[in-house]
Amino acid sequence: MLEYRTSIPQDEYVRGTVTPSIRVIEEEEKQGPPNQSPSQSPSADLSLGLGISPDHSHSPKGWRNIGAVAPADMYAVEATDKQPNGVYAWMVIFACFISLMLSIGINDAYGVYQQHYQLNEFPNATTALISWIGTVQFLIMCVGGVFSGFLCERFDTRVLNAIGAVIMGVAFIAGSYCKTVGMLMVTQGFIYGFGASFPFIAGTSIPSQWFTKYRGFATGLALSGSGVGGMWMTSATQSLIDSLGRPWAMRVTGIVAMVAVFAVSPWMRVRLVPSKSEKLIDWTLLKDVRFRVFITALMFAIAAYFGPFYQVPSYSVVVLKKSQSWGSNMDTLMNGLSVLGRLAIGLLSDFVGPLNLLIINMALAAFSILVFWAPFGSVGMLLATVFLFGFSIGGVVSVIPVAAAEIFGLARLPSIIGLLFIGYFAGGLLGVPPMSAILDNVGHRTDYTSSIWYMGALPLCSLILLIVLRGLITFRIRARI
């Protein structure tokens, strides 16, 4: 096993115009470390251990790389002899793509179930109560993500992914026999969310470890699986419900998810693990004010993410008087555009910087809701919202792990993302449940105006915090970060 040690002292934080990658290389060149192999050079040290590029080959002219900060005693240990950037690395990306396509894709398609439950199966239940099925699903994925991130550093992620696949399948098959909202909350919500947390955290954190070149594009490609899954799962779920009924729709979905995710588990493998890791959650990160701002910004971003996916289908039927299939097609379109957003933003992040793109995308998401959707109630404005929000929010999802690696270091990315899931959990509580409660109590299930304005305020809050975070790191407008 090879060990890579970060070279930035723990109390030195990146700020202003100094590029730490250049500074550290110069210092180590002066020291002239003996017997230094190419794989253990300062360049490899920084690119493999921290997720930053010592040179500026991936930055536009005039942009500067602002590197990551990690504790000086953090070592990244290679867990396999497989090399990054190769054929095996792309197999890992494919496995992550399939795992996320099913685990997150099913969650993204919950809007179809929400519409079905609300209009057909449980017409007397409140919108807020029904929305808790999908909300519990996501919240448990977040809570499970904290623990699965811890487990991914200590146990074989391939085995964990396979276990998650089985739990996911069993949960949906069991849910097909449920006749009450409460039991669906247990099966489709709680149990499925727990199983999906394993492929969720692994598929999100592993891709960044397998690439030192074009990491943003590779990660975006893997994470686009969730958008692809949401896209075809939305249409497939609606078709299955229409042709076979909701119980058989869930059984087919459960079987497909279990078989597909289990089949790709042999390639769900981490490349780097910390050589020294003793805590379930590394709370020391919370001492960094930048991390606190980052996690709060993500809380608002995740709160904003699910609102349109959950409410656009029923909005289409209740307000625009469209068919249920038309409403589900809007979800399909939004998921399809999120795929394009993931790929495009993932590629651009290698050149512009992930945090810069997070800021741009959150601005577009807020604009789509507050300017296009909220003031108007027409089909054209809803389509404009679907196009812009779907593209921009997909880019947010793909660039979050890249930004985490760029700012806080790559070696402990599974645990970092696991800690971020606490912010995701809070975001899940801050998003759909209040939106649904506003729709029930203020809009009386027919007037979506107040709920939409609340929905638009969430990405706006995230945008403000991300701008603050960037200011804490550097005031250089053209800095790549």
Side-chain angles (χ1 to χ4, degrees):
M1 285 190 180
L2 295 177
E3 293 188 340
Y4 299 91
R5 185 178 186 275
T6 65
S7 305
I8 304 174
Q10 188 170 4
D11 58 349
E12 277 191 40
Y13 291 94
V14 183
R15 187 176 177 83
T17 60
V18 178
T19 305
S21 55
I22 296 176
R23 184 180 71 249
V24 174
I25 291 173
E26 290 175 346
E27 289 177 355
E28 294 195 4
E29 284 178 346
K30 290 178 181 178
Q31 295 173 1
N35 301 323
Q36 187 180 65
S37 67
S39 63
Q40 292 174 309
S41 65
S43 173
D45 171 23
L46 288 165
S47 62
L48 292 176
L50 293 176
I52 58 178
S53 301
D55 60 24
H56 299 277
S57 59
H58 295 308
S59 300
K61 185 176 180 180
W63 289 66
R64 301 286 304 275
N65 277 324
I66 304 295
V69 170
D73 60 351
M74 179 61 67
Y75 289 79
V77 180
E78 286 193 338
T80 174
D81 58 356
K82 304 292 184 182
Q83 296 301 307
N85 307 311
V87 174
Y88 190 88
W90 287 110
M91 290 298 296
V92 173
I93 295 298
F94 174 75
C96 292
F97 178 94
I98 297 297
S99 294
L100 292 174
M101 182 180 71
L102 276 306
S103 60
I104 305 300
I106 288 174
N107 183 256
D108 284 350
Y110 178 74
V112 176
Y113 287 104
Q114 170 91 13
Q115 176 183 252
H116 174 77
Y117 294 147
Q118 184 177 334
L119 301 177
N120 301 302
E121 201 163 337
F122 307 112
N124 296 323
T126 64
T127 306
L129 178 63
I130 295 172
S131 71
W132 271 105
I133 299 173
T135 300
V136 167
Q137 189 179 86
F138 178 71
L139 294 180
I140 298 303
M141 287 174 68
C142 294
V143 174
V146 176
F147 292 93
S148 60
F150 174 80
L151 293 174
C152 282
E153 291 184 347
R154 291 157 178 77
F155 300 100
D156 196 327
T157 48
R158 296 168 291 183
V159 175
L160 295 175
N161 203 70
I163 292 172
V166 174
I167 296 174
M168 286 164 55
V170 169
F172 253 60
I173 293 171
S176 69
Y177 296 97
C178 297
K179 304 295 183 183
T180 65
V181 174
M183 288 307 299
L184 285 167
M185 212 174 289
V186 172
T187 53
Q188 188 178 5
F190 187 94
I191 299 176
Y192 175 83
F194 176 72
S197 66
F198 291 100
F200 182 23
I201 182 66
T204 302
S205 60
I206 287 176
S208 293
Q209 296 190 350
W210 282 94
F211 287 85
T212 58
K213 297 179 180 179
Y214 305 110
R215 178 177 291 129
F217 175 73
T219 303
L221 183 61
L223 268 64
S224 69
S226 60
V228 171
M231 182 172 60
W232 75 264
M233 281 299 304
T234 299
S235 299
T237 299
Q238 187 65 60
S239 298
L240 287 170
I241 290 175
D242 291 341
S243 58
L244 302 176
R246 194 267 301 175
W248 271 106
M250 295 190 73
R251 290 166 198 155
V252 172
T253 300
I255 292 170
V256 170
M258 179 163 52
V259 172
V261 177
F262 192 93
V264 299
S265 293
W267 291 277
M268 294 294 289
R269 188 175 194 173
V270 297
R271 191 178 74 85
L272 297 173
V273 294
S275 62
K276 186 177 180 181
S277 182
E278 301 172 355
K279 300 176 182 178
L280 174 61
I281 299 176
D282 187 3
W283 297 106
T284 57
L285 274 170
L286 295 178
K287 296 178 181 178
D288 187 343
V289 64
R290 296 164 310 148
F291 188 82
R292 295 198 297 270
V293 173
F294 186 59
I295 198 172
T296 306
L298 294 189
M299 178 185 72
F300 284 105
I302 295 301
Y305 179 86
F306 289 105
F309 286 100
Y310 280 25
Q311 292 202 356
V312 162
S314 60
Y315 175 89
S316 302
V317 176
V318 175
V319 177
L320 301 181
K321 308 303 179 184
K322 297 293 185 178
S323 65
Q324 293 185 31
S325 60
W326 194 91
S328 66
N329 286 338
M330 290 299 97
D331 254 9
T332 300
L333 180 59
M334 213 163 6
N335 276 297
L337 289 162
S338 75
V339 174
L340 296 178
R342 285 168 168 84
L343 293 174
I345 303 305
L347 180 61
L348 286 173
S349 71
D350 290 315
F351 301 93
V352 180
L355 182 57
N356 294 331
L357 288 174
L358 267 177
I359 292 172
I360 294 171
N361 278 34
M362 290 314 303
L364 292 175
F367 184 88
S368 68
I369 296 175
L370 296 175
V371 177
F372 287 165
W373 192 9
F376 306 98
S378 65
V379 173
M381 286 296 98
L382 180 64
L383 284 171
T385 302
V386 166
F387 270 88
L388 187 55
F389 183 85
F391 181 85
S392 59
I393 208 68
V396 168
V397 172
S398 71
V399 85
I400 285 175
V402 184
E406 189 87 3
I407 301 171
F408 303 107
L410 181 64
R412 295 214 61 190
L413 189 57
S415 281
I416 290 172
I417 292 182
L419 184 58
L420 291 179
F421 280 165
I422 295 176
Y424 288 10
F425 180 91
L429 291 175
L430 189 63
V432 175
M435 291 177 203
S436 300
I438 291 171
L439 179 59
D440 284 333
N441 300 309
V442 180
H444 306 292
R445 303 186 69 176
T446 58
D447 186 354
Y448 285 70
T449 304
S450 299
S451 181
I452 294 171
W453 281 110
Y454 177 81
M455 216 180 298
L458 296 172
L460 183 61
C461 291
S462 179
L463 171 64
I464 293 170
L465 288 167
L466 289 171
I467 293 173
V468 170
L469 173 62
R470 197 183 189 284
L472 290 172
I473 297 173
T474 178
F475 291 110
R476 287 176 58 90
I477 300 298
R478 301 186 67 183
R480 177 201 174 277
I481 185 169

